[in-house]
Every structure is written in C-alpha cells, then in structure tokens.
Amino acid sequence: MSPSENSRLEYDTPIKNRLVGYYQATQNIAEASREVGVKYHAARKIIHKFEDTGSTDNCSRSGRPRALTDRMERRVIRESLKNRRKPFADIANDLSLEGGGQSVCRALARAGYHRRVARRVPFLTKRHRRQRLAWARQFRRWKKKQFSQIIFSDECYIYLGDKNGRVYVT
C-alpha cells in the first residue's frame, strides 16, 4: 500500500463549515458531500459531529503532556534572558525542572529564542585601560549637552575573561 492510500485525510475547517452549510440548506448528506468534494462517509461523520457538539473543530488529541506549564515556560524565558550565557542544564537545575536542559531548549524555541555561538571579542590590554582612563579623566567635567554633539562611530566589544572554548548566547 502506498502512503497516500494508508494515511487519513483531514479536512480543514472552512471545507467542513461549507459542508455543514450545504447540508443545512439541502438536508441531504450525499448532495452536500458531492457539492463540496468530500467523501460521503467523511461527510456523514462531520455532520454527526456538528450535530452532537455544535462545532466542526477537531477534538484535542491525547499525547504526552508537556513537562513545563505556561507559567514555568515564562520563568525559563525570563531566567535565560537574564543570564544569556548560562547553560540550559544549569537553568533547569536552578528552577528545579523535571525535564532538564532539553525542556528549557524546547520552551525557548517555542518562544522564538535559539542559542548562537558568542562572538569572539578582542582582549583589553593594560595600554588600552590606561588610554580609556585618561580619556575618561579628560572629559569627566563635560555635560550631557556637550556629549550629544559628538558621534561615537568606533563601538566594539571587549573581552576581560579568559574562558576558552565555545560560549553560547540565548
């Protein structure tokens, strides 16, 4: 058997609603099913379901329940955005989650957040530090209005730590 013969076809809500509309107008399942292009047995089931429930929406299906509630997912998102470099397993441990790091990863993915490798940034040398301190002392008496007249165009990241290896950021 080919997959198309074995798999079931699920009709979308507009088609089911059109079928019910035709049925209510004609009171004939066969005619409504031909008009909409739905098989007779499927049309009969859809109409009986509509008569029983008053809706053509699909019933919720059984399946494994999620490890995290909506409230817990919001906590996970808040925690991961607060500590962007923290590993998923550590977030799960801090929040006492049963699902572990994988549940944290899935919750963030559902919310549209994904881990990326952090960008490498240059080290700040002693010379750089002295120059920055001298610049800060030179302009420490300037007012906000004076600084608003200047455009800073050479923004860059600096790295003070010495952690090797890949660092991920949410």
Side-chain angles (χ1 to χ4, degrees), residues 70-116:
D70 289 341
R71 183 176 181 176
M72 189 56 80
E73 281 192 16
R74 288 192 302 270
R75 279 186 65 195
V76 165
I77 293 166
R78 200 169 37 249
E79 181 69 23
S80 65
L81 293 179
K82 190 168 40 172
N83 302 313
R84 295 182 60 208
R85 294 174 185 255
K86 195 173 205 179
F88 289 153
D90 291 352
I91 293 171
N93 289 337
D94 290 350
L95 298 176
S96 304
L97 300 180
E98 294 178 17
Q102 196 62 37
S103 293
V104 172
C105 182
R106 278 192 293 270
L108 289 170
R110 275 193 293 274
Y113 296 104
H114 302 280
R115 281 273 158 118
R116 303 285 186 252

Side-chain angles (χ1 to χ4, degrees), residues 101-138:
Q102 196 62 37
S103 293
V104 172
C105 182
R106 278 192 293 270
L108 289 170
R110 275 193 293 274
Y113 296 104
H114 302 280
R115 281 273 158 118
R116 303 285 186 252
V117 176
R119 184 176 163 190
R120 291 227 180 248
V121 293
F123 283 103
L124 195 59
T125 63
K126 289 184 179 183
R127 181 174 155 252
H128 292 143
R129 290 180 192 189
R130 281 195 307 271
Q131 287 175 337
R132 282 174 168 236
L133 186 59
W135 185 90
R137 285 181 176 152
Q138 180 183 353

Side-chain angles (χ1 to χ4, degrees), residues 123-157:
F123 283 103
L124 195 59
T125 63
K126 289 184 179 183
R127 181 174 155 252
H128 292 143
R129 290 180 192 189
R130 281 195 307 271
Q131 287 175 337
R132 282 174 168 236
L133 186 59
W135 185 90
R137 285 181 176 152
Q138 180 183 353
F139 294 104
R140 73 178 165 204
R141 288 183 172 57
W142 275 35
K143 304 290 181 213
K144 198 174 192 179
K145 186 174 182 180
Q146 291 171 300
F147 275 112
S148 68
Q149 305 291 321
I150 297 175
I151 297 174
F152 294 95
S153 62
D154 61 340
E155 296 175 8
C156 70
Y157 290 100

